[in-house]
Amino acid sequence: MTAGGRCAPATPFGPRERSGPSSPSPEKQEGHMRSIGWLLWLVPLCGLAGTPLPDAPHVVASGTGEVKATPDTARVSLDFRHRADAPLPAKQRVDAGVNRLLEALPTFAIAEKDVRASNLLANEEFDFVDGRRVPNGYAASRNVDVLLRDVGRLNALLDTALAAGATVGGVSYESSRAEQLRAEAKRRAVADARQEAAELARVFQAGLGPVYSINSLNSQLETYVVAEPSPLHAVTVSGSRAAAAPGRYLQPTVEYRESVRAVFELQR
């Protein structure tokens, strides 16, 4: 700690030598340059107060791991909404649609534990005319969230939901092996951090010591499509006067991504 209350960075090589009036020798210049190189890796102690860092020389490295898979489950969000002149008819219409859907779900091998149905919301609605609120009936709504474990039947499930009066709020894909895939992504992230730390140590002519700490920074799931058309997620648009063949959509892929930050000790 300096007289002004600021924290001075510590060097891994002990006290610095005082320079005399003459210029330092080439050997001393090389030693000072190497010390500066080591300090580039060391985070100042006062800047990371509370963060577990070793007192010995160390290096902090980040790593990212990614694992891709073809999804085999789909979570579908379905919304039921109806407006009427009174709240009771609006509620009854919504309840009837939700009941029709719930009665059909066993045909898709969807268990009760894979269904989440929200409570009913009913409220009076208003329009604004010339700056005044004008009553415009009552609206009732419910949301049903369904986990389909056979994505090959997604098209049929959506047709059934639309026929029951639902609108599709969204479809998200995942793998039934999500836990194992996330674990593999984390393992790759740790290996990536170790490789980065080893490369830094090698460049500065140091040896990589044991790991001191590892922090998990982020866990992400991304879904995207590849450019091969597939009937896997075909959706038939409702309301068509003529029967139409199921639409063809691009094959989705899910990617599990993990990020870690690790602290390694350095060996001189």
Side-chain angles (χ1 to χ4, degrees):
M1 185 75 71
T2 63
R6 292 178 297 177
C7 186
T11 72
F13 301 106
R16 296 172 59 183
E17 296 185 6
R18 296 181 179 272
S19 300
S22 59
S23 299
S25 66
E27 291 78 12
K28 288 184 178 180
Q29 288 181 339
E30 181 181 355
H32 288 315
M33 292 301 295
R34 186 172 297 136
S35 298
I36 292 173
W38 282 76
L39 287 173
L40 291 176
W41 309 335
L42 300 179
V43 184
L45 300 180
C46 51
L48 283 176
T51 302
L53 293 174
D55 293 332
H58 59 273
V59 59
V60 180
S62 299
T64 301
E66 301 172 355
V67 177
K68 299 177 183 179
T70 299
D72 55 7
T73 63
R75 186 169 294 280
V76 185
S77 177
L78 302 167
D79 299 311
F80 292 83
R81 190 176 187 277
H82 186 72
R83 178 186 291 178
D85 293 334
L88 181 58
K91 171 189 178 299
Q92 292 173 335
R93 183 72 174 269
V94 167
D95 285 343
V98 172
N99 290 340
R100 284 198 299 272
L101 174 67
L102 295 179
E103 290 169 1
L105 292 183
T107 63
F108 296 94
I110 297 176
E112 244 183 76
K113 65 183 179 65
D114 293 331
V115 181
R116 296 199 299 260
S118 69
N119 293 328
L120 177 78
L121 295 178
N123 57 278
E124 187 175 9
E125 295 200 331
F126 297 88
D127 289 335
F128 284 87
V129 179
D130 297 329
R132 294 181 301 107
R133 290 203 317 167
V134 178
N136 188 23
Y138 294 82
S141 62
R142 289 184 69 183
N143 172 265
V144 179
D145 195 73
V146 176
L147 178 63
L148 179 65
R149 299 184 183 275
D150 181 4
V151 292
R153 304 192 66 190
L154 178 60
N155 177 62
L157 175 62
L158 292 177
D159 283 349
T160 300
L162 294 172
T167 58
V168 181
V171 178
S172 59
Y173 301 96
E174 196 164 322
S175 171
S176 58
R177 298 175 53 247
E179 186 175 345
Q180 298 95 311
L181 295 174
R182 287 193 178 96
E184 173 62 19
K186 186 166 292 186
R187 187 192 67 79
R188 295 184 182 184
V190 170
D192 184 46
R194 179 179 290 277
Q195 181 178 354
E196 178 185 334
E199 179 64 18
L200 285 171
R202 185 190 65 80
V203 169
F204 286 97
Q205 299 180 353
L208 188 65
V211 63
Y212 181 81
S213 66
I214 301 176
N215 294 324
S216 181
L217 298 179
N218 199 3
S219 180
Q220 293 180 333
L221 169 63
E222 294 184 2
T223 303
Y224 56 92
V225 295
V226 294
E228 289 94 13
S230 168
L232 180 61
H233 307 293
V235 179
T236 302
V237 179
S238 66
S240 174
R241 293 177 181 269
R248 293 174 64 84
Y249 292 82
L250 297 180
Q251 172 71 52
T253 297
V254 291
E255 180 180 87
Y256 297 88
R257 183 180 302 169
E258 296 284 338
S259 300
V260 300
R261 178 173 295 157
V263 179
F264 295 86
E265 296 181 7
L266 292 173
Q267 297 173 342
R268 291 176 284 182

